[in-house]
């Protein structure tokens, strides 16, 4: 099983002590990049859920900069200690509560090897409280203290409770701990000698707007905070009353009196509060320079502002063009800092281009994208189709052809590549589809020239209906294009209409041929969503379900296909008997196209916007036996809305570890055979799935007794006689039960 994915900017990255490596939280692992080459050199794998924090153990001496140790926290309820140079996990601390944020005081940010009088290490974490705690008062999340040396939470040390997880901030000296809570800041002073029983002193600073980020000054009692409106507050001398020493002095400054403090709200413990305002949107990052002379800020507008702390003067670094989210300083002064921001973002005050489709050919050598320039000030809505090619396996693509408005001003609904030729099809909502070829449709094995372009080979349409989906058969001899609620079958070489499969209930949004079978799968959205399997032999429906399908994928080597179903929009079709069922919003259903009952069912999270794909994994040639019986293995890949993916064998033992539920027919052996009219005269049509064989509480259609509602609609919608004859005659036969003597 292979896991990975997710956005690299979900959590702040961190440099190693020698600045030669950058550690980035990436899904359930931590990716280690080389700062010299920019390539990933290692990965810290082992967490079973999202990694939320990574902290590098600082070097105590110049010679210890070569040491590569770090702590990681995860939603799987563990905190782990790593040697990321190997990489290898050294120890694991089981918290048994999801950890959303973590800081470690620098004084205790190390482990003393095999010493009876070792100084204990502590961490402050934001965890999700247990649901079964009946006496939980104010919030669902807590800030707690964890003993890393003894691998346990410090009993009774709950610093704060809130309704959503917050980022914990620690000062560089490790003596101040800050947590933002909507319109106020809670700040604790950590004792210099922490035995785990010392009482932390706390102050609270208030504000009128929601706070988004905070930062401590490295040497002075100065705190900076940004809010949702773009303002930056600078509190000076905070906590001088509460955190004062016995002699009444802190860092050489005398204690303040009860005089009015400029800019300070109410009775907040601070000398003054200054407001700076330049950012038009919320402030996402704040960071003091190592000497404390400057403050760096950034936000959604993509501009990094450098403020002079003493004077408030500012200057700007070159505009990046994307929202800034995190800022990390490098320990090496010769290194520039790293700014982490959202990729492929276009600010709203510039031209906005949205990539609507990205399709890769079967061999990975060709790529096709569709883009839309959104209308602004009455101008725009330009649709663009781009073809790319690649010669290397590294995934570096070069632009080959740009087609502006390939379907006039209509949007592109689907793009699909031919399985073994340099041919592609694009369908549009404007009522037509186009067949594109490169090098006269040369086979995939022949190398494409870098300057080869794509041209329109043919154009097709059906009754001027919107073309909403398209798919090639496994051998490429048949092209299926959905014309709103009907499926049209075409010969792609001659551009001839071969057949039409009659109508679905709502517009079809996805099509897929099922491997080596004679079936076609379609998915429809709307008020009555539908998952349907069609027979290409008699051009009729085999079976269908009333389900909202987000994505479908077919196995290239068998008659299996998978469907990603949204639970919330399908009437609650699945209720797993698990504690985490509230967070499950989708299902992956594995079908054999000839049977209506699924082979396997997986419950998944973040299914909205997810995707499925079957991937061929060729076995190693070195391990192949003499009779060459090791065939290609087909793996199933699922990617959720957060770009996290999992790749596994749906029929292997790994699938069982994912809590797969294999459904079996609940009918008796007698009921599974043919009885009544069908046993005497045979079936007039393919069997219609019965609800008693359906493992979920969802309706299927057509109904089991269609003759009862035959006259409830208009006369031109009457079903054909062949559809009613079989079920009606079947109903006339009375099944006689055997009498036991």
């Amino acid at each position: 099983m292979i896991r990975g994915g997710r956005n690299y900017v979900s959590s702040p990255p961190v440099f190693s002590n020698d600045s030669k490596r950058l550690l980035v939280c990436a899904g359930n692992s931590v990716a280690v990049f080389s700062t010299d080459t920019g390539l990933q050199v290692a990965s810290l794998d082992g967490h079973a859920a999202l990694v939320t924090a990574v902290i590098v153990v600082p070097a105590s001496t110049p010679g210890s900069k070569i040491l590569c140790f770090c702590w990681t926290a995860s939603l799987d309820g563990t905190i782990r200690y790593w040697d990321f140079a190997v990489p290898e996990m050294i120890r694991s601390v089981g918290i048994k509560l999801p950890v959303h944020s973590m800081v470690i005081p620098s004084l205790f940010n190390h482990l003393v090897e095999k010493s009876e009088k070792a100084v204990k290490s502590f961490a402050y974490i934001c965890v999700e409280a247990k649901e079964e705690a009946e006496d939980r008062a104010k919030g669902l999340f807590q800030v707690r203290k964890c003993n890393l040396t003894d691998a346990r939470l410090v009993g009774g040390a709950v610093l704060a409770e809130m309704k959503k997880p917050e980022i914990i901030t620690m000062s560089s000296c490790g003596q101040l701990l800050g947590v933002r809570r909507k319109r106020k800041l809670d700040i604790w002073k950590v004792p210099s000698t922490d035995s785990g029983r010392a009482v932390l002193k706390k102050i609270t600073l208030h504000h009128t707007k929601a706070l988004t980020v905070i930062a401590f000054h490295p040497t002075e009692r100065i705190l900076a905070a940004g809010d949702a409106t773009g303002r930056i507050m600078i509190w000076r001398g905070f906590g001088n009353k509460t955190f004062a020493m016995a002699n009444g002095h802190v860092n050489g400054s005398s204690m303040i009196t009860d005089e009015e403090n400029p800019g300070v709200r109410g009775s907040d413990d601070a000398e003054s509060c200054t407001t700076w305002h330049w950012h038009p949107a919320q402030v996402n990052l704040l960071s003091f320079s190592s000497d404390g002379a400057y403050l760096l800020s950034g936000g959604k507008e993509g501009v990094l502002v450098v403020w002079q702390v003493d004077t408030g003067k500012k200057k700007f670094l070159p505009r990046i063009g994307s929202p800034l989210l995190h800022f990390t300083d490098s320990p090496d002064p010769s290194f520039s800092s790293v700014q982490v921001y959202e990729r492929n973002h276009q600010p709203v005050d510039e031209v906005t281009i949205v990539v609507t489709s990205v399709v890769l050919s079967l061999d990975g050598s060709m790529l096709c994208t569709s883009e839309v320039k959104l209308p602004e000030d009455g101008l725009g809505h330009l649709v663009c189709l781009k073809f790319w090619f690649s010669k290397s396996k590294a995934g570096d693509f070069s632009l080959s052809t740009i087609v502006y408005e390939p379907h006039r001003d209509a949007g592109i609904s689907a793009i699909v590549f031919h399985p073994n030729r340099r041919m592609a099809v694009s369908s549009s909502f404007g009522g037509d589809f186009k067949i594109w070829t490169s090098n006269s449709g040369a086979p995939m094995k022949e190398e494409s020239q870098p300057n080869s372009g794509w041209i329109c080979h043919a154009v097709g349409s059906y009754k001027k209906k919107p073309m909403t989906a398209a798919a090639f058969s496994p051998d490429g001899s048949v092209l299926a294009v959905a014309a709103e609620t009907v499926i049209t079958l075409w010969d792609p070489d001659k551009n001839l209409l071969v057949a039409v499969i009659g109508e679905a209930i709502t517009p079809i949004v996805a099509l897929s041929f099922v491997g080596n079978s004679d079936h076609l799968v379609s998915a429809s959205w709307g008020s009555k969503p539908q998952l349907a399997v069609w027979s290409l032999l008699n051009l009729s429906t085999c079976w269908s379900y009333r389900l909202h399908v987000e994505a479908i994928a077919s196995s290239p080597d068998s008659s299996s296909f998978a469907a990603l179903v949204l639970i919330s929009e399908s009437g609650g079709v699945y209720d797993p008997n698990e504690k985490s069922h509230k967070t499950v919003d989708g299902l992956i259903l594995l079908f054999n196209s000839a049977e209506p009952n699924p082979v396997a069912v997986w419950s998944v999270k973040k299914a909205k916007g997810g995707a499925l794909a079957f991937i061929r994994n060729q076995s190693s040639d070195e391990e192949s036996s003499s009779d060459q019986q090791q065939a290609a293995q087909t793996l199933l890949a699922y990617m959720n809305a957060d770009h996290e993916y999992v790749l596994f064998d749906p029929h292997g033992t790994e699938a069982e570890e994912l809590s797969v539920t294999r459904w079996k027919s609940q009918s008796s052996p007698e009921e599974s055979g043919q009885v009544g009219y069908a046993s005497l005269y045979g079936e007039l049509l393919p069997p219609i799935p019965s609800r008693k064989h359906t493992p979920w509480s969802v309706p299927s259609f057509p109904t089991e007794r269609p003759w009862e509602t035959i006259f409830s609609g208009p006369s031109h919608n009457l079903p054909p006689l062949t559809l009613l004859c079989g079920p009606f005659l079947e109903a006339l036969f009375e099944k006689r039960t055997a009498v036991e003597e």
Side-chain angles (χ1 to χ4, degrees):
M1 182 184 303
I2 302 175
R3 294 180 180 270
R6 192 172 174 86
N7 200 329
Y8 281 154
V9 300
S10 59
S11 300
V14 61
F15 280 100
S16 61
N17 292 317
D18 57 3
S19 301
K20 293 183 178 180
R21 297 178 179 88
L22 181 67
L23 283 71
V24 182
C25 298
N28 298 352
S29 62
V30 176
V32 183
F33 291 88
S34 170
T35 56
D36 295 329
T37 63
L39 300 177
Q40 183 174 342
V41 295
S43 179
L44 307 182
D45 301 319
H47 283 291
L50 178 67
V51 179
T52 55
V54 55
I55 300 175
V56 172
V57 177
S60 57
T61 61
S64 61
K65 288 186 177 181
I66 60 175
L67 299 179
C68 301
F69 299 107
C70 71
W71 291 93
T72 59
S74 170
L75 295 182
D76 62 2
T78 63
I79 300 175
R80 304 194 179 196
Y81 188 66
W82 305 80
D83 182 353
F84 57 87
V86 178
E88 180 183 7
M89 186 186 70
I90 300 176
R91 62 175 302 193
S92 177
V93 179
I95 303 299
K96 298 181 180 180
L97 294 174
V99 183
H100 291 264
S101 179
M102 178 180 69
V103 294
I104 301 177
S106 58
L107 183 61
F108 311 107
N109 200 2
H110 63 280
L111 291 178
V112 181
E113 298 180 358
K114 299 180 180 180
S115 174
E116 296 180 357
K117 298 181 180 180
V119 178
K120 293 185 178 181
S121 301
F122 292 89
Y124 296 94
I125 56 178
C126 178
V127 297
E128 186 174 355
K130 293 182 179 179
E131 294 185 359
E132 58 267 24
E134 299 179 356
D135 57 347
R136 186 184 62 227
K138 299 180 181 179
L140 302 175
F141 300 90
Q142 299 175 342
V143 177
R144 303 191 63 177
K145 189 176 182 179
C146 175
N147 188 329
L148 298 178
T149 305
D150 298 337
R152 62 180 178 84
L153 290 173
V154 177
V158 178
L159 276 68
E161 289 185 336
M162 65 279 295
K163 294 184 179 180
K164 64 178 183 178
E166 298 289 356
I167 302 298
I168 308 175
T169 305
M170 177 69 69
S171 62
S172 58
C173 63
Q175 295 184 0
L176 295 173
L177 178 70
V179 177
R180 57 181 175 87
R181 299 176 59 188
K182 290 185 178 180
R183 296 181 177 89
K184 61 182 180 179
L185 298 175
D186 292 338
I187 303 172
W188 290 267
K189 183 180 179 181
V190 179
S192 57
T193 56
D194 199 335
S195 62
R197 296 184 296 271
V199 178
L200 279 68
K201 296 182 179 180
K202 170 189 172 184
I203 68 169
T204 300
L205 301 177
H206 297 81
H207 186 47
T208 58
K209 302 295 181 181
L211 296 168
T212 57
V213 63
I214 62 176
F216 287 100
H217 193 279
T219 58
E220 300 181 19
R221 195 66 65 81
I222 300 177
L223 175 66
D227 67 8
T229 64
R231 291 183 294 179
I232 301 174
M233 280 62 63
I234 306 295
W235 281 279
R236 301 177 187 270
F238 65 91
N240 282 352
K241 293 181 180 179
T242 308
F243 301 153
M245 296 182 180
N247 57 5
H249 291 76
V250 178
N251 294 335
S253 302
S254 60
M255 293 182 57
I256 61 174
T257 62
D258 295 334
E259 297 179 358
E260 182 179 359
N261 303 325
V264 179
R265 302 186 62 83
S267 59
D268 289 354
D269 187 0
E271 292 182 355
S272 64
C273 180
T274 306
T275 301
W276 297 339
H277 196 180
W278 180 87
H279 296 281
Q282 75 175 29
V283 182
N284 291 333
L285 67 88
L286 287 174
S287 177
F288 283 97
S289 59
S290 57
D291 58 359
Y294 298 95
L295 174 67
L296 288 81
S297 64
K300 187 176 181 180
E301 74 288 332
V303 177
L304 193 63
V305 184
V306 181
W307 304 83
Q308 193 173 15
V309 176
D310 292 337
T311 64
K313 295 181 179 180
K314 57 185 177 295
K315 62 179 180 179
F316 310 97
L317 296 184
R319 185 167 187 167
I320 296 176
S322 295
L324 299 173
L325 299 181
H326 305 295
F327 185 92
T328 304
D329 267 328
S330 168
D332 188 351
S334 63
F335 260 68
S336 60
S337 301
V338 59
Q339 299 137 16
V340 182
Y341 53 89
E342 292 180 350
R343 185 178 299 176
N344 297 334
H345 175 84
Q346 295 291 335
V348 295
D349 57 344
E350 296 183 0
V351 176
T352 303
I353 298 178
V354 178
V355 179
T356 58
S357 299
V358 178
V359 181
L360 192 67
S361 63
L362 190 61
D363 64 346
S365 63
M366 297 178 295
L367 180 71
C368 186
T369 61
S370 62
E371 301 176 357
V372 177
K373 176 184 176 183
L374 299 184
E376 296 176 4
D377 297 331
L379 301 176
H381 198 70
L382 176 64
V383 181
C384 179
L385 188 66
K386 294 182 179 180
F387 292 93
W388 310 74
F389 73 94
S390 175
K391 286 187 176 181
S392 64
K393 295 182 179 180
D396 298 329
F397 286 89
S398 300
L399 184 61
S400 171
T401 305
I402 303 178
V403 182
Y404 294 103
E405 296 187 348
H407 300 274
R408 298 175 299 278
D409 58 347
I412 297 176
S413 58
I415 304 173
V416 60
F417 276 103
H418 194 281
N420 45 38
R421 292 174 56 187
R422 301 190 183 278
M423 177 184 291
V425 172
S426 63
S427 59
S428 75
F429 298 103
D432 65 346
F433 68 90
K434 290 188 177 182
I435 301 177
W436 309 86
T437 59
S438 174
N439 288 343
S440 300
M444 292 284 193
K445 297 181 180 179
E446 297 183 10
E447 185 177 354
S448 177
Q449 300 297 327
N451 57 354
S452 61
W454 289 75
I455 61 174
C456 181
H457 172 71
V459 181
S461 63
Y462 181 78
K463 297 183 178 180
K464 298 182 180 181
K465 291 186 176 182
M467 298 296 188
T468 54
F472 273 107
S473 61
D475 59 357
S477 61
V478 179
L479 170 64
V481 183
E484 206 167 24
T485 57
V486 300
I487 302 175
T488 59
L489 303 180
W490 301 76
D491 183 343
D493 294 324
K494 300 179 181 179
N495 195 28
L496 294 177
L497 180 62
V498 178
V500 178
I501 301 179
E503 295 196 4
I505 297 180
T506 53
I508 298 173
V509 296
L511 288 174
S512 180
F513 284 87
V514 184
N516 53 17
S517 67
D518 297 321
H519 296 98
L520 178 66
V521 183
S522 68
S524 302
W525 290 355
S527 58
K528 296 181 179 180
Q530 178 189 21
L531 171 67
V533 176
W534 309 81
S535 173
L536 298 178
L537 298 179
N538 53 19
L539 304 179
S540 61
T541 307
C542 294
W543 53 269
S544 61
Y545 286 116
R546 186 74 55 82
L547 297 172
H548 184 99
V549 179
E550 187 73 7
I552 54 177
S554 299
S555 173
D557 304 318
S558 65
S559 58
S560 300
F561 74 92
L564 178 61
V565 177
L566 299 184
I567 295 179
S568 59
E569 301 187 27
S570 298
V573 299
Y574 184 65
D575 187 16
N577 296 322
E578 300 178 0
K579 294 182 180 180
S580 60
H581 70 278
K582 293 183 179 180
T583 59
V584 173
D585 61 352
L587 301 174
I588 299 179
L589 310 178
L590 182 65
F591 288 97
N592 186 322
S593 60
E595 299 292 336
N597 288 342
V599 179
V601 180
W602 294 268
S603 59
V604 296
K605 303 176 182 179
K606 304 173 185 177
K608 184 70 173 180
L612 291 175
F614 281 93
I615 300 177
R616 289 175 176 172
N617 184 23
Q618 297 290 342
S619 59
S620 176
D621 296 336
E622 297 178 357
E623 299 178 357
S624 60
S625 57
S626 57
D627 55 4
Q628 297 181 354
Q629 293 182 351
Q630 296 196 11
Q633 183 185 20
T634 302
L635 304 179
L636 179 60
Y638 164 66
M639 184 175 67
N640 63 17
D642 283 349
H643 307 291
E644 297 171 321
Y645 67 86
V646 57
L647 183 64
F648 63 96
D649 180 7
H651 302 286
T653 57
E654 292 179 342
E656 297 292 344
E657 297 176 1
L658 291 176
S659 301
V660 60
T661 304
R662 297 192 178 277
W663 297 95
K664 297 180 180 180
S665 176
Q666 300 177 1
S667 59
S668 62
E670 182 181 3
E671 292 177 342
S672 61
Q674 290 183 337
V675 295
Y677 180 85
S679 64
L680 298 178
Y681 304 103
E683 296 179 346
L684 296 179
L685 290 174
I688 299 173
S690 174
R691 288 188 185 181
K692 61 184 177 182
H693 301 299
T694 305
W696 326 291
S697 57
V698 295
S700 60
F701 50 88
T703 61
E704 297 177 6
R705 305 174 66 86
W707 59 87
E708 295 181 352
T709 58
I710 186 173
F711 298 110
S712 60
S715 58
H716 65 274
N717 283 339
L718 293 179
L721 179 62
T722 55
L723 183 63
L724 300 176
C725 183
F728 178 71
L729 295 178
E730 177 73 23
L732 298 180
F733 284 84
E734 180 181 359
K735 182 179 177 182
R736 180 178 300 175
T737 57
V739 180
E740 297 182 359
E741 296 181 358

